[in-house]
Amino acid sequence: MDSTDALVLVAPRELTARELPLPAIGADDGLLRVEACGLCGTDHEEFTGELFGGFPFIPGHESVGIVERIGARAAARWGVQEGDRVAVEVFLSCGSCDACRAGAHQRCERHGLADMYGYVSVDRAPALWGGYARHQYLAPDSVLHRVPAALDPVTATVFNPLGAGIRWGVTLPGTKTGDVVAVLGPGVRGLSACAAAKQAGAGFVMVTGHGERDHPRLEVASQFGADLAVDVSATDPVRALREATGGLADVVVDVTAKAPDAFPQSIRLARPGGTVVVAGTRGGRPVPDFNPDIVVYKELRVIGALGVDAEAYRAALDLLAARRYPFESLARRVAGFGTMDALLRDMAGEGEPPPVHAVFAPH
Ligand SMILES: [Zn+2]
Ligand SMILES: [Zn+2]
């Protein structure tokens, strides 16, 4: 076998199947046989063109698969062998810049956002830079995590949102035992943040959603650690939180997408001296009616969160393997080469209601 199949996004909404040559692997790199690749908001924004880079590329940046080929030095560096199931981080790490040494390779000075997986031109050799494919290239500066044997590859793709939930819901805000935590947004990242906060000992976890579409997500939230699920289109979340806990939140995590009202709501939900984590991007939209004085009066700590670190990814894989929360049975859609178009359109809100968790699998 010297070629493989991939889906190339040649232009917005033009996902084309292509046969591409498999690269020769040297001492420092490797090749992944993709088993599953998780999808997030970035995927459908790339598909619709909101995030299109102007070049053809293979999307997919939350890959899980089997190490099919690996060079000797790469095997030693990554601590994995051919045949191991691994999860691949989206960002590369040079390992030597200040950001990488601090474990924050999403800000790597050599790589950063410029060559994250799932967003590199197919014209750059060896083309296989994304997870919508049977094979993904493992560049020398890749960061891999071994997947615990108890996990199937599709469930293992939750390493990405759950890693985010752990970093955004616990590590960054410093969530501690007994804290009241409010999570805005009941998608897979929001549910993951609930589970992570509960796992870290939070005393009370509230999650919010908006409208009918979010009801199925709010309904399962209790299985993921939420004590209260609120539809903000019907109920004022500040009042609901006060009624349930007698106060406001120590930690607020905003993982909403396309909800400009959420940020002012986060600020209102936080107690004086509390922490607000603003995580993930929201399509470049400004926030209307935001009064920064409230941040001052309450002396809030507002933290931006871009990605996940290696520590959180490892903790996520361990928490998944422990099966304390039913991530394997999330409402999920797994699409193959022929059905990705429809799935991405649904995720973009243009068709059927989107699944809570969406995954590509190369079949
Ligand atoms: Zn993603
Ligand atoms: Zn670096």
Side-chain angles (χ1 to χ4, degrees):
M1 183 180 55
D2 50 9
S3 72
T4 192
D5 303 306
L7 288 173
V8 178
L9 191 64
V10 292
R13 297 174 188 280
E14 262 184 66
L15 206 50
T16 313
R18 267 209 210 154
E19 202 177 314
L20 291 163
L22 285 174
I25 296 303
D28 281 302
D29 53 3
L31 188 68
L32 182 80
R33 177 163 59 75
V34 177
E35 295 181 292
C37 179
L39 311 180
C40 72
T42 301
D43 290 87
H44 68 74
E45 287 179 4
E46 289 172 347
F47 179 75
T48 57
E50 261 181 273
L51 265 180
F52 192 72
F55 48 81
F57 64 101
I58 303 170
H61 56 273
E62 303 181 4
S63 302
V64 168
I66 302 291
V67 176
E68 190 165 285
R69 276 192 256 151
I70 191 167
R73 279 202 298 266
R77 198 170 54 245
W78 295 331
V80 301
Q81 303 169 2
E82 282 177 11
D84 283 348
R85 178 170 289 140
V86 295
V88 185
E89 289 198 23
V90 51
F91 295 114
L92 302 181
S93 170
C94 76
S96 55
C97 73
D98 287 348
C100 284
R101 279 201 308 253
H105 43 269
Q106 67 272 31
R107 296 196 301 271
C108 173
E109 286 156 29
R110 193 178 312 160
H111 299 294
L113 300 178
D115 51 10
M116 52 187 273
Y117 279 118
Y119 210 45
V120 173
S121 171
V122 282
D123 297 329
R124 183 160 139 200
L128 303 171
W129 294 100
Y132 295 9
R134 279 190 211 287
H135 290 88
Q136 179 176 325
Y137 177 60
L138 297 172
D141 286 349
S142 299
V143 184
L144 310 185
H145 300 285
R146 208 195 297 247
V147 172
L151 284 177
D152 66 273
V154 169
T155 304
T157 62
V158 181
F159 83 97
N160 213 284
L162 186 56
I166 290 170
R167 181 163 184 260
W168 305 348
V170 177
T171 324
L172 281 177
T175 302
K176 20 177 232 317
T177 306
D179 274 355
V180 173
V181 178
V183 176
L184 280 64
V188 64
R189 275 164 185 73
L191 296 174
S192 293
C194 291
K198 204 62 173 189
Q199 187 67 18
F204 190 90
V205 178
M206 177 178 81
V207 62
T208 69
H210 189 280
E212 197 66 35
R213 277 174 101 90
D214 279 343
H215 283 190
R217 296 155 184 233
L218 294 174
E219 276 154 25
V220 300
S222 64
Q223 297 168 39
F224 294 89
D227 300 290
L228 177 67
V230 173
D231 175 355
V232 300
S233 71
T235 306
D236 174 17
V238 177
R239 226 178 86 192
L241 186 63
R242 274 192 195 284
E243 273 168 16
T245 67
L248 293 170
D250 300 290
V251 172
V252 183
V253 189
D254 176 2
V255 290
T256 56
K258 298 182 180 172
D261 293 341
F263 184 64
Q265 210 161 65
S266 301
I267 300 294
R268 287 205 300 131
L269 279 164
R271 69 159 168 82
T275 301
V276 175
V277 176
V278 187
T281 51
R282 29 208 41 68
R285 287 170 182 74
V287 172
D289 302 324
F290 167 57
N291 175 4
D293 286 355
I294 305 173
V295 178
V296 176
Y297 287 129
K298 284 188 169 180
E299 295 204 306
L300 297 179
R301 200 161 60 107
V302 180
I303 304 175
L306 175 62
V308 187
D309 54 22
E311 197 188 329
Y313 281 131
R314 276 192 294 272
L317 286 164
D318 289 344
L319 185 54
L320 283 172
R323 298 193 182 275
R324 204 151 298 144
Y325 304 93
F327 284 103
E328 68 281 358
S329 54
L330 271 178
R332 176 178 287 125
R333 235 166 89 191
V334 182
F337 285 105
T339 45
M340 279 297 282
D341 273 69
L343 176 57
L344 288 164
R345 273 198 303 271
D346 292 347
M347 288 175 71
E350 298 171 0
E352 301 287 307
V356 179
H357 190 219
V359 174
F360 164 80
H363 52 64

